[in-house]
Amino acid sequence: MTVSATDSSMDATPTLDIDPLLDDPATRIIVCCGAGGVGKTTTAAALGVRAAERGRKVVVLTIDPARRLAQSMGIDALDNTPRRVKGIDESAGGELSAMMLDMKRTFDEIVEAHADGERARAILENPFYQSLSAGFAGTQEYMAMEKLGQLRARDEWDLIVVDTPPSRSALDFLDAPKRLGSFLDGKFIRVLMAPAKVGGRAGMKFLNVGMSMMTGTLSKLMGGQLLRDVQTFVAAMDTMFGGFRTRADATYRLLQAPGTAFLVVAAPERDALREAAYFVERLAAEEMPFAGLVLNRVHGSGAPQLSAERALAAAENLDEGGIVDQEPGHAGVRDSSATSPEADPAPDDTSESESGTHAAHSVEQVTAGLLRLHAERMHVLAREQRTRDRFTALHPEVAVAEVAALPGDVHDLAGLRAIADRLAASDAVEPGATPDEFARSDQPVG
């Protein structure tokens, strides 16, 4: 199958224009979501670099535990505090900061901000709280919502780019407010709150009389000390629970607001695009503002008109020609030198002749190898095209930006700029173009 710009169904797909999205002052939050290993962190960082160099004051928040973002931005380490990124062209008035979500530190900051000193200390030192804040299921997503709300409330940046965790958990932060509300309003928490609300021995008597079977079971499951730690934690946090839910609901509404744009990042592979379809459908169900799909690491070819079949046939012809010509050719040279009365070639002439023959065969072998590599690349292009066609058939309304694959990994600002250039100008590149050809195209930088 020959993949070209003329027979690609992507021509009928709406194009995702990145620069207007980044330049629009009404765009305040961009959320990048997608499966793991598709270049989501790199895409978020590249968007941040491009937006900053086009005049926006940007902060990139990564929830992915990988350290690639810090490395690519030249920062030794990212933490819960936004760090200014050096090396950004700020001539347009923009700037770039980056940070990595520290789940426990974010939780600690909430406690310190919403509880007096003695109660905050009691909460922070509580063993159950320390376990909860370090890795309780769903805590990371909720803390991501909290941190996003904090950044937006500070109004220090006019654009926040959020890099989410991989796989389907990338949208778990949409469920965090609902899950937290269900947890805080649930019977389990109300039972644990009862002793503290009634107070002292009377409270424990109430709990023992009213829920003796339940507490006995909980003690067996959790252990008596853990149960007491949980009760102490709940008692200390009682006055803060409403604030958690209120802030989470406010952040959820912020994500639904027109100033937010969700980008789904995927690779042109079956599993990744299946996940992308899930994200698209989920965002629609949640009524979240969806901007489009970033199709990352798309392969190309400098000779799309040469099909895989023709390339393989040419390679076989070269191989067969070399096999046929090799021995008779050498024999012919030796026989003619031995029988011709007029020719008496010097040893040096014979050596040069044989050397030329070997060089010709070497060129043919290299050419055949390159043709086979081209055939493999064309098979990859055909497979990627079929995968894209399936997605666009299911979601023809989704705007798409294709990003040509880079020859190597991105590990610095120059690499992020290259990704951003490809992302912003994806509609100007033919599907068959190679990454090197695209890099030579006349595209603005920054």
Side-chain angles (χ1 to χ4, degrees):
M1 175 181 177
T2 302
V3 180
S4 67
T6 57
D7 62 8
S8 172
S9 64
M10 293 293 288
D11 290 343
T13 303
T15 300
L16 173 60
D17 293 325
I18 291 296
D19 282 345
L21 179 68
L22 297 178
D23 295 342
D24 187 355
T27 304
R28 303 300 302 273
I29 298 172
I30 295 177
V31 182
C32 297
C33 52
V38 297
K40 184 162 45 63
T41 300
T42 302
T43 299
L47 289 171
V49 170
R50 189 168 185 87
E53 295 188 334
R54 294 177 70 86
R56 304 294 300 271
K57 292 185 177 180
V58 189
V59 59
V60 176
L61 166 64
T62 179
I63 308 171
D64 190 334
R67 300 287 169 175
R68 295 188 304 272
L69 183 63
Q71 295 169 355
S72 63
M73 292 187 170
I75 301 175
D76 293 336
L78 292 180
D79 55 22
N80 220 36
T81 302
R83 306 287 180 185
R84 188 78 168 266
V85 177
K86 299 178 181 179
I88 296 295
D89 181 0
E90 300 180 351
S91 59
E95 62 182 55
L96 177 63
S97 299
M99 63 175 295
M100 180 178 293
L101 178 71
D102 184 330
M103 181 176 61
K104 186 180 187 312
R105 184 60 205 146
T106 300
F107 211 152
D108 292 350
E109 290 171 354
I110 297 169
V111 172
E112 293 166 351
H114 296 90
D116 58 56
E118 184 176 349
R119 176 167 292 195
R121 185 166 54 255
I123 294 172
L124 296 176
E125 293 175 356
N126 182 275
F128 178 74
Y129 168 78
Q130 293 174 358
S131 175
L132 176 72
S133 60
F136 198 75
T139 306
Q140 183 184 49
E141 289 76 19
Y142 177 78
M143 289 304 129
M145 295 279 282
E146 281 277 358
K147 181 55 68 176
L148 175 59
Q150 290 174 13
L151 292 173
R152 185 67 181 85
R154 287 170 63 176
D155 209 29
E156 183 176 345
W157 300 277
D158 54 37
L159 178 62
I160 303 169
V161 182
V162 181
D163 167 40
T164 58
S167 77
R168 293 196 176 190
S169 65
L171 290 183
D172 279 355
F173 64 91
L174 298 179
D175 296 325
K178 297 177 183 177
R179 288 203 309 271
L180 182 70
S182 299
F183 175 71
L184 298 180
D185 293 338
K187 293 181 180 179
F188 176 65
I189 289 296
R190 291 203 299 270
V191 167
L192 293 177
M193 283 182 174
K197 290 187 174 181
V198 175
R201 294 182 178 179
M204 290 305 297
K205 182 177 180 181
F206 167 82
L207 183 62
N208 289 335
V209 172
M211 302 295 291
S212 58
M213 291 182 63
M214 181 176 181
T215 54
T217 303
L218 287 173
S219 294
K220 291 178 181 178
L221 292 174
M222 303 171 63
Q225 183 59 50
L226 178 57
L227 181 57
R228 287 190 290 274
D229 291 340
V230 173
Q231 290 172 327
T232 304
F233 165 75
V234 170
M237 292 285 288
D238 185 16
T239 58
M240 296 179 59
F241 284 150
F244 275 104
R245 186 168 190 178
T246 299
R247 289 190 304 275
D249 289 343
T251 305
Y252 188 82
R253 290 192 297 271
L254 183 65
L255 291 173
Q256 289 180 313
T260 299
F262 281 82
L263 291 176
V264 174
V265 183
E269 301 167 359
R270 184 179 59 182
D271 291 343
L273 279 173
R274 184 184 295 120
E275 290 290 284
Y278 165 81
F279 288 129
V280 169
E281 293 161 6
R282 175 69 194 281
L283 290 170
E286 297 286 338
E287 298 182 347
M288 295 291 173
F290 173 54
L293 172 72
V294 174
L295 198 58
N296 207 7
R297 299 171 182 165
V298 177
H299 292 92
S301 171
Q305 69 280 4
L306 178 59
S307 69
E309 292 77 10
R310 289 175 57 197
L312 287 174
E316 290 174 0
N317 286 338
L318 286 172
D319 286 341
E320 291 172 358
I323 293 171
V324 170
D325 292 343
Q326 185 174 359
E327 295 304 327
H330 284 201
V333 171
R334 287 194 296 270
D335 291 343
S336 61
S337 64
T339 59
S340 173
E342 301 175 1
D344 185 17
D348 288 345
D349 293 339
T350 302
S351 176
E352 289 178 5
S353 175
E354 291 179 350
S355 176
T357 302
H358 286 304
H361 289 320
S362 297
V363 170
E364 290 175 353
Q365 291 171 357
V366 171
T367 304
L370 291 174
L371 286 168
R372 287 192 173 86
L373 287 175
H374 174 79
E376 291 177 7
R377 173 57 63 89
M378 294 306 293
H379 284 309
V380 170
L381 265 62
R383 185 176 65 250
E384 290 181 355
Q385 184 66 60
R386 289 192 299 270
T387 306
R388 293 198 298 268
D389 289 346
R390 292 191 199 102
F391 177 87
T392 54
L394 290 172
H395 299 284
E397 77 288 352
V398 173
V400 179
E402 290 193 12
V403 183
L406 282 174
D409 293 334
V410 175
H411 52 79
D412 54 20
L413 283 176
L416 291 176
R417 288 191 186 96
I419 290 291
D421 290 342
R422 286 158 169 73
L423 180 59
S426 62
D427 58 322
V429 184
E430 295 183 1
T434 65
D436 290 338
E437 289 174 337
F438 185 82
R440 291 193 298 268
S441 63
D442 186 17
Q443 301 298 337
V445 177

